Each structure stands twice: as structure tokens, then as C-alpha cells.
């Protein structure tokens, strides 16, 4: 499948049209940003490693019955995915306290939550992706009531699968961000699928034994060893 026109360039990825109007190529860059684009750098091979990791995680979720946009990994930096109309909401699933949850509510980083927490953030760089409630999501028409119910239920299924998978490679899945999109299904009806990426850019992944951070917090917090940490995740996943 060849790349055609560039459709969209985001902070870490580019989307290209293909000859099939239902599909696009998702290209992974080495660019990294944090704090709403304020902090910027490039991380060597990040795009290659995230393409490998995200492809495998989407495949694993596909196997347990989660519908995703993922079709196939084409090469080092490109994957073929279904073109979706993205729901303008970032859904964050948390198993332990970290990041903005610790800060906002004054909680201790690393504390276990007694059940997974699902949060919604409105996707708007201009507004800094503000936290919103499900009622905002419904009232402003970002998703319908039934869609929100399906998204929350799907997040719990994704979480069960990812927690078990990462535990098997000695990684604690602390929290992560998911995005969903709409595609036309085989009957021409709109259906939701899991979209975007799942990678150390969008997850907090801690080594089970040492607590070492194996994710983008190394970049956000200037901890160094970012490339090595991403490679460590890919190596444990047997991708490198
Ligand atoms: P937070 O604690 O900063 O709200 O982040 C929660 C999770 O979401 C964390 O695993 C990182 C991920 N995330 C993104 O993927 N993109 C973002 O823009 C932000 C703010 C967080």
C-alpha cells in the first residue's frame, strides 16, 4: 500500500491517504512533546519502537475481541489502519496513582486504586485537554450516551487484557490513554473502534521489581535513558 497525500500531521504521527478510501497509513515520527507541546525533542528510533509496540498491543487486543483500527504493520515506521472519525475525547484508565491524578488530588504516586478509574479529557490543544465528565461528553455531542457506555465497558476489557499481558513481562501498567473513532461497518452502520496508538508515549509502565519508569515520563521529567527504556519494553515483548 503506497502513501498518497498527507492528511494530517500531529505531534508524534502523520496520517497519509492510500488508494483505498477506507484506509490510511499511520506514520510514527521520532518527535516527542510534553506539557501540551511546550517541551519538544526528538528521541532516536522512538517511531520505530512505538510502531512495533503499538502494532503488537493492537493485535493482542484484536485477539481478545476488541475492535481496533489496526490492519497491519507495513514497515519500520508505517502501519495500515482504518480511517476513523476520531471521538474528540482522550480516555485515561488508571490502575495506580500517578501524573495529573497525584497532582490534582494531592495523592501519593504509586498508590494502588481499589478499582480502575476511567477519566475523560476533551481533546483540545488550545485548552490544554481539560478533564471533563461523561455528562460534558454527552451534552456537547462528542459522543452519544450508548457510545460512552460502550467506551467505558471496552476500557475495562482493554484494561483486563493489558494488565495481564504486562504482568507477564514484569511490567506494572500504571495508567494509559486511549482514543476511539467511528468507522462504517460491513452494513454501512457506524461502529466504534479503538484507534490511535498504545505505546510508552501513551502509557505509564514501571518495572515490576525495581519500579523503574519505562515510559515517556523519562522525557517529561528529564530522567534520561529514554531510548533504552523504550527498547527494554520492546525487548520484553520479544519484538527486538
Ligand atoms: P496524566 O497523568 O498526565 O493525566 O496522564 C495519564 C496517562 O495518559 C499517562 O499514561 C500518559 C497519557 N497521556 C497521553 O498519552 N497524552 C497526553 O497528552 C497526556 C497528558 C497523557
Amino acid at each position: 500500500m503506497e502513501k498518497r497525500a498527507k492528511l494530517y500531521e500531529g505531534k508524534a504521527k502523520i496520517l497519509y491517504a492510500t488508494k483505498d478510501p477506507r484506509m490510511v497509513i499511520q506514520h510514527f515520527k521520532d518527535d516527542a512533546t510534553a506539557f501540551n507541546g511546550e517541551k519538544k525533542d526528538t528521541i532516536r528510533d522512538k517511531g520505530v519502537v512505538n510502531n512495533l509496540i503499538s502494532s503488537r498491543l493492537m493485535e493482542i487486543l484484536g485477539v481478545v475481541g476488541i475492535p481496533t483500527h489496526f490492519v497491519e504493520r507495513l514497515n519500520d515506521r508505517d502501519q495500515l489502519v482504518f480511517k476513523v472519525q476520531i471521538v474528540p475525547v482522550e480516555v485515561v484508565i488508571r490502575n495506580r496513582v500517578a501524573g495529573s491524578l497525584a497532582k490534582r488530588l494531592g495523592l501519593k504516586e504509586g498508590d494502588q486504586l481499589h478499582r480502575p478509574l476511567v477519566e475523560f479529557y476533551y481533546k483540545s490543544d488550545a485548552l490544554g485537554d481539560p478533564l471533563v465528565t461523561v455528562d460534558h461528553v454527552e451534552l456537547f455531542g462528542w459522543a452519544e450516551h450508548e457510545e460512552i457506555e460502550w467506551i467505558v465497558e471496552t476500557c475495562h476489557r482493554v484494561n483486563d487484557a493489558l494488565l495481564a499481558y504486562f504482568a507477564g513481562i514484569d511490567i506494572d501498567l500504571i495508567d494509559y490513554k486511549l482514543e476511539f473513532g467511528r468507522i462504517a461497518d460491513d452494513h454501512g452502520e457506524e461502529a466504534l473502534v479503538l484507534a490511535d496508538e498504545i505505546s510508552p508515549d501513551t502509557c505509564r509502565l514501571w518495572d515490576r521489581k525495581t519500579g523503574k519508569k519505562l515510559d515517556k515520563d523519562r522525557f517529561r521529567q528529564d530522567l534520561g535513558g529514554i531510548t533504552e527504556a523504550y527498547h527494554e519494553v520492546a525487548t520484553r515483548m520479544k519484538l527486538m
Side-chain angles (χ1 to χ4, degrees):
M1 195 71 87
E2 274 170 42
K3 281 182 195 143
R4 294 200 174 169
K6 189 197 274 193
L7 298 176
Y8 171 81
E9 178 153 8
K11 286 177 283 204
K13 297 188 293 296
I14 305 174
L15 294 181
Y16 295 94
T18 67
K19 68 175 194 283
D20 185 337
R22 297 169 309 154
M23 294 190 194
V24 295
I25 288 173
Q26 177 165 257
H27 173 90
F28 286 73
K29 302 192 283 184
D30 284 347
D31 298 348
T33 65
F35 314 117
N36 204 20
E38 258 174 58
K39 183 179 166 96
K40 283 197 185 87
D41 210 343
T42 59
I43 299 169
R44 182 173 48 85
D45 283 351
K46 176 174 81 79
V48 176
V49 180
N50 280 356
N51 186 24
L52 276 170
I53 293 174
S54 192
S55 295
R56 177 57 58 83
L57 293 177
M58 290 288 181
E59 275 168 6
I60 289 168
L61 293 173
V63 167
V64 299
I66 309 288
T68 82
H69 73 157
F70 181 74
V71 181
E72 62 175 328
R73 184 173 154 275
L74 297 171
N75 56 49
D76 267 6
R77 289 179 184 275
D78 297 328
Q79 51 179 248
L80 187 65
V81 300
F82 281 102
K83 185 176 187 174
V84 303
Q85 179 211 14
I86 204 82
V87 174
V89 164
E90 299 196 346
V91 189
V92 170
I93 298 95
R94 302 182 187 269
N95 294 302
R96 284 166 66 173
V97 172
S100 68
L101 178 66
K103 203 168 165 197
R104 187 180 317 111
L105 299 182
L107 301 174
K108 190 160 141 273
E109 184 174 84
D111 277 2
Q112 185 71 40
L113 298 170
H114 72 271
R115 62 168 178 81
L117 175 65
V118 179
E119 297 175 330
F120 291 84
Y121 294 82
Y122 177 46
K123 253 174 96 65
S124 163
D125 282 341
L127 300 174
D129 297 347
L131 178 67
V132 294
T133 70
V134 287
D135 209 23
H136 291 89
V137 177
E138 192 176 335
L139 185 126
F140 293 109
W142 301 325
E144 287 176 15
H145 186 77
E146 292 72 28
E147 290 182 317
I148 300 166
E149 282 184 344
W150 184 89
I151 286 171
V152 172
E153 188 198 309
T154 302
C155 285
H156 286 287
R157 289 171 60 209
V158 167
N159 196 49
D160 289 342
L162 292 184
L163 270 179
Y165 175 73
F166 280 114
I169 54 171
D170 275 335
I171 289 175
D172 267 337
L173 176 63
I174 306 300
D175 59 28
Y176 52 103
K177 184 260 298 177
L178 299 179
E179 295 190 30
F180 293 87
R182 299 181 188 93
I183 57 169
D185 69 13
D186 297 342
H187 315 286
E189 303 270 321
E190 273 193 346
L192 281 172
V193 296
L194 182 61
D196 196 55
E197 69 174 289
I198 310 175
S199 73
D201 268 13
T202 62
C203 300
R204 285 197 174 89
L205 304 169
W206 295 359
D207 178 78
R208 193 156 228 185
K209 295 194 185 90
T210 63
K212 183 177 173 188
K213 294 178 178 173
L214 301 172
D215 56 61
K216 196 174 162 189
D217 270 351
R218 302 206 73 82
F219 170 71
R220 295 188 190 98
Q221 300 171 3
D222 293 319
L223 300 175
I226 310 166
T227 301
E228 294 75 7
Y230 280 49
H231 279 226
E232 175 68 30
V233 175
T235 301
R236 290 195 200 184
M237 291 175 71
K238 298 196 163 55
L239 299 170
M240 299 187 85

